[in-house]
Amino acid sequence: MMKNKLVAAGCGLLLSLSSIAVFAQSLSDAMKDGLQTMASEQLNADLEVSELQVNSLTNGLTANKVRLATRVDELSEPENQLLLAKQLVLTGDWQALGSSRVDISKIAVSDAQLTVSYYGTGRSNLHEFLKQMSDMKVQKVNSVPLRWQVDEWVMENVTINLFDKGEPILSVHVDELALTDLQSMQNPNAQVRELLWPILDQVVEQVRSGNSSLQVDSMALSRFLLREAMAF
């Protein structure tokens, strides 16, 4: 009798674990579909994710082989390819996605390529994407703005490409890029400056020191920096 109970308990445990696995997979698939729909309908962007895993115990969301492309009419391929990443890990209250307030403690991106493409003064695919992020609404109640905050955003092993009016002017590798306290209330111009300008300052110094590993059009970069600096 005891043996039968143990077998029954074991079978019950296996069924429970199987049910949890199926639920987690269903949740992951639903989350993946929801994020891709949100990107298309609210961010005017194309989001592709090879695999998405949800961990409800750690409030973690892991996306593998991520591609995010903007739809700026003034840009052509590959200038609209905003982000390519081997992996993106999001930690925080992702379960609040769909509510009016989303707080994310950390976004970690690894083995990535970030392409920032300017098509006018103070206008780029990154500006457009951040503007769309700031203008997001809660889907169920379109009149209610979505407020979001990211405490920390870290990119590791990232290559940053810079285009200006269709011309590639810079490609630089950065071991780590960290930003803090990003939120929907910020001005997109301020967010872009916070992201790009420290990197561009480093690039200018490396150009002056004769770093031969940089891929940079020095004259085009100087004209770009002067134009953008005078605009603000």
Side-chain angles (χ1 to χ4, degrees), residues 97-195:
L97 292 173
S99 65
S100 61
R101 177 75 193 185
V102 178
D103 293 305
I104 304 300
S105 57
K106 184 176 181 179
I107 296 177
V109 181
S110 58
D111 301 328
Q113 179 173 283
L114 177 68
T115 298
V116 182
S117 305
Y118 277 73
Y119 54 95
T121 302
R123 304 184 71 189
S124 73
N125 59 338
L126 183 57
H127 284 82
E128 179 62 23
F129 179 76
L130 292 173
K131 181 180 182 300
Q132 296 286 347
M133 285 283 293
S134 298
D135 293 341
M136 284 185 66
K137 307 291 184 183
V138 179
Q139 290 184 352
K140 293 182 179 180
V141 187
N142 289 329
S143 61
V144 178
L146 172 65
R147 298 304 179 203
W148 54 267
Q149 179 169 333
V150 178
D151 295 335
E152 184 180 17
W153 179 35
V154 178
M155 300 183 73
E156 296 181 343
N157 189 29
V158 55
T159 297
I160 299 169
N161 303 313
L162 180 63
F163 285 78
D164 187 30
K165 298 181 179 179
E167 296 298 325
I169 61 175
L170 172 67
S171 182
V172 59
H173 178 267
V174 178
D175 291 331
E176 182 177 289
L177 174 62
L179 299 173
T180 58
D181 193 24
L182 300 174
Q183 51 186 295
S184 55
M185 299 298 290
Q186 284 179 302
N187 183 288
N189 288 327
Q191 292 177 327
V192 173
R193 287 198 300 272
E194 187 177 350
L195 171 68

